[in-house]
Amino acid sequence: MVPTRRLDLLFIKPGSQKQIYGSLSDYDLTAIEPPLWAAILGGYLRGLGYGVEILDAEAEGMSWDQVAQAAVDRGALLTAVMVSGHNPSASTMNMLGAGAISTKIKELAPELAVCLTGLHVSALPERSIREEIADFVIQGEGLRTFPPLLEALKAQAPAFKGIPGLWYREDGHIVPGSMPDMWADLDTLPMPAWDLLPMERYRAHNWHCFDDVTRRQPYATLYTSLGCPYHCSFCCINALFGEHRLRTRGVDSVMAEIDFLVNRYGVRNIKIMDELFAVNEKRVLELCGKIAERGYDLNFWAYARVNTVSERMLAAMKAAGVNWIAYGFESGSKRVIEDVTKGYKLDQVLRVAQMTYDQGQHICANFIFGLPEDDYDSMQETFALMQEINAEWANIYSAMAYPGSKLYDDAVAAGAPLPATWNGFSQYSADCLPLPTKYLSGGQVLSFRDYAFDAYYKNPRYLAMIRAKFGEETMRHIQLMAQKSLDRYNAVI
């Protein structure tokens, strides 16, 4: 296929740091992560001969109006606004910026074709095409949708019927799409189009570089697998894929990408995006063994599950430079854990935490306050577990009913109060509104979460541990971070 002279496809990552992170966006605490799905799709479509560009409004510091004007100036055959984030909970809140950008593009240039794509709109395709000012919504990964859509747009008489995953309007009516089949062999996809991104602008999370908070760049993210076979009720990750299944890339393919990132861009800090990296011991040992053989000075972080990680995995990961292990501990209450079908026993948690520390690795511990069975006593149990583990970093969340999760479906069915705007699904926004539990309001949950965050990061035992492991500078960095307070409209004491 011969590329056209006109730009075929422009991917846009909305910049929504101020709205999503509130006052925290004024400081360099958050990561700036590359739009990996745009790069994956860009590499694939470019390999088919299409002309592709990616505009990362967040990395470039562009306002929504500026990025809309830039899209109009480029005049692509199709402009695709991405509604995704770097974890399942980071998609819905980007809908605010995505909607504003697509609306502005259509105001400036009504003739330009605009689509919305990503996890959130895959979870709510009908609502998205009904409420937003866009020509199309793409449900699913997009790999099977973009090529026929681009070909249809090139035709003199465009015909969109039957394109997998495509939702659109016709004669005032919504034409529904259907979830496409997942891409079976990930190794048949080319490498993501890293060269289309401003790689010098991305930076790691502050905690990822506690060993040296001045070395957060260069930074990259990658997948070694996609999807998850588990059914945690608060998770929405499989809304993008349509099935609860794990697909893995070959070790050689992953190594080629790591080699490229290191040798081309000098990347040291890497986030392994897999929802479930430490699950297959044989694969982890093989991949980490090959990384270790390279002798790179890399600083990875990766997710693991309490009931799948092993001591051999952790040792191999440490040798490869996987210095941070992110665990979804979620709750310290047996009743709460069993209700959300997390799939592990609480007595495993402390054993696995100690096993991780014994390998010289650091823990990014994920906890959620406000799961359906939570009351003040169970949340206090979770807070006590947080303090006992004393992880080097703790992500302390409120339970949110993210579209695509069972919690969202249950909340809608029950008529439970949900945020008034998509931005209210952000953990750090002023209008954040967590899901109510059977016993507590969302405002009560939010207040307890903010109390727990403040108490955890100001705990003298925690700060002493940080100073001993990372030094005085890192401890003072955390103390400065803990001084920042969030604006909250919905917290209830």
Side-chain angles (χ1 to χ4, degrees), residues 179-407:
M179 178 65 77
D181 293 336
M182 295 192 300
W183 199 267
D185 186 356
L186 299 181
D187 288 342
T188 62
L189 296 174
M191 189 179 300
W194 292 107
D195 59 298
L196 298 182
L197 299 174
M199 292 296 289
E200 74 283 355
R201 294 182 178 269
Y202 300 114
R203 67 169 182 243
H205 295 271
N206 62 331
W207 56 265
H208 186 180
C209 300
F210 272 178
D211 61 332
D212 186 348
V213 291
T214 67
R215 293 186 67 190
R216 294 170 64 188
Q217 296 175 305
Y219 174 65
T221 63
L222 61 85
Y223 286 106
T224 81
S225 68
L226 291 175
C228 179
Y230 293 93
H231 292 76
C232 300
S233 64
F234 52 82
C235 184
C236 60
I237 187 173
N238 286 310
L240 186 65
F241 309 126
E243 295 181 34
H244 289 263
R245 184 156 64 87
L246 186 69
R247 292 167 290 163
T248 58
R249 294 173 61 188
V251 168
D252 290 342
S253 172
V254 176
M255 286 308 306
E257 187 169 1
I258 292 173
D259 290 340
F260 177 80
L261 291 169
V262 172
N263 296 321
R264 175 70 177 273
Y265 298 109
V267 167
R268 174 180 180 258
N269 303 303
I270 300 176
K271 174 184 177 179
I272 298 177
M273 295 278 293
D274 307 23
E275 190 70 11
L276 202 60
F277 178 70
V279 61
N280 183 316
E281 184 175 90
K282 180 180 178 181
R283 181 172 182 269
V284 169
L285 297 182
E286 181 184 359
L287 175 57
C288 289
K290 287 186 178 293
I291 297 172
E293 288 173 3
R294 295 291 201 272
Y296 296 142
D297 176 26
L298 298 179
N299 178 35
F300 289 97
W301 73 275
Y303 293 98
R305 280 183 66 95
V306 169
N307 59 342
T308 63
V309 74
S310 69
E311 190 171 359
R312 292 185 70 197
M313 283 187 197
L314 291 174
M317 292 162 72
K318 177 62 178 177
V322 184
N323 297 315
W324 287 84
I325 311 297
Y327 291 110
F329 296 135
E330 320 306 4
S331 174
S333 165
K334 180 176 182 292
R335 182 185 81 252
V336 172
I337 285 292
E338 289 178 348
D339 182 66
V340 295
T341 62
K342 185 63 184 175
Y344 67 80
K345 302 298 183 183
L346 271 175
D347 59 9
Q348 297 174 277
V349 169
L350 293 177
R351 178 181 61 81
V352 166
Q354 189 58 53
M355 186 169 67
T356 307
Y357 292 143
D358 289 346
Q359 293 295 336
Q361 289 162 307
H362 311 304
I363 293 177
C364 171
N366 294 284
F367 296 96
I368 303 176
F369 291 106
L371 292 167
E373 281 291 334
D374 258 327
D375 54 22
Y376 279 123
D377 289 340
S378 64
M379 291 197 301
Q380 191 61 48
E381 288 181 276
T382 300
F383 183 60
L385 179 64
M386 287 169 49
Q387 293 183 306
E388 186 170 4
I389 293 172
N390 203 31
E392 292 91 340
W393 183 256
N395 283 320
I396 304 170
Y397 297 121
S398 303
M400 305 296 294
Y402 294 114
S405 70
K406 184 177 183 298
L407 284 189

Side-chain angles (χ1 to χ4, degrees), residues 398-454:
S398 303
M400 305 296 294
Y402 294 114
S405 70
K406 184 177 183 298
L407 284 189
Y408 180 82
D409 294 339
D410 290 347
V412 171
L418 292 171
T421 69
W422 297 129
N423 194 65
F425 284 85
S426 169
Q427 294 284 336
Y428 306 106
S429 67
D431 55 342
C432 173
L433 180 62
L435 188 69
T437 77
K438 295 178 181 178
Y439 315 102
L440 301 170
S441 71
Q444 289 173 312
V445 170
L446 184 62
S447 180
F448 192 97
R449 178 268 164 205
D450 287 351
Y451 151 76
F453 184 95
D454 189 64

